[in-house]
Amino acid sequence: MTFESTDFAELADRVRTQSADAPGSDTERVTIRSLESLDTDALADLLEMAETDHDRPADLVFVLPQPPTDLAADASPDELEDALGRTVRVEEELPDDTVLLLTPDAVDGAELVEPVSITCGIVGTE
């Protein structure tokens, strides 16, 4: 999975405006869920929710701003991959309160090619 042309701050902004619950929306939208924290339990819950709604659950990849806070300071993306059973990317440009779970072809740069293949978790907001 490559994100060579992706501005993650812009991508996160676009994703966060594409809520599945947008009033009056008749277009495909990103699924957005509120999380209490970015820890492995919250990420596992987000994954479970996304897998049930997705036709290709094996393709889902996590993009995190940093490793979840409940892990030891030396926790690596590899350890998260083992715990979650999914590829994990850490992107510093992603806002600290946001995690994305998406398929590799769901975005092109910051464009949302397949909004229904993107799940966004936001800490502390609806």
Side-chain angles (χ1 to χ4, degrees):
M1 174 178 214
T2 63
F3 288 112
E4 293 168 4
S5 63
T6 301
D7 176 334
F8 282 91
E10 181 181 347
L11 177 61
D13 185 54
R14 287 180 189 242
V15 164
R16 290 172 74 149
T17 63
Q18 296 292 312
S19 171
D21 299 321
S25 173
D26 60 356
T27 60
E28 293 182 331
R29 297 287 178 165
V30 171
T31 299
I32 299 179
R33 293 291 181 260
S34 179
L35 304 175
E36 291 186 21
S37 61
L38 287 184
D39 58 36
T40 52
D41 289 340
L43 296 175
D45 289 346
L46 191 67
L47 177 62
E48 183 177 337
M49 184 275 307
E51 285 178 329
T52 60
D53 292 341
H54 204 276
D55 61 348
R56 298 176 310 198
D59 293 341
L60 294 169
V61 174
F62 280 98
V63 181
L64 305 177
Q66 57 193 4
T69 56
D70 74 335
L71 300 175
D74 60 352
S76 70
D78 290 339
E79 290 168 318
L80 287 175
E81 287 180 355
D82 290 343
L84 298 167
R86 292 290 177 267
T87 299
V88 173
R89 286 183 65 105
V90 176
E91 295 292 342
E92 292 180 11
E93 293 177 43
L94 200 63
D96 287 344
D97 67 345
T98 304
V99 59
L100 300 177
L101 181 59
L102 67 163
T103 60
D105 53 358
V107 298
D108 181 8
E111 295 299 316
L112 308 183
V113 178
E114 291 183 31
V116 295
S117 296
I118 303 169
T119 302
C120 178
I122 302 174
V123 177
T125 63
E126 289 289 324

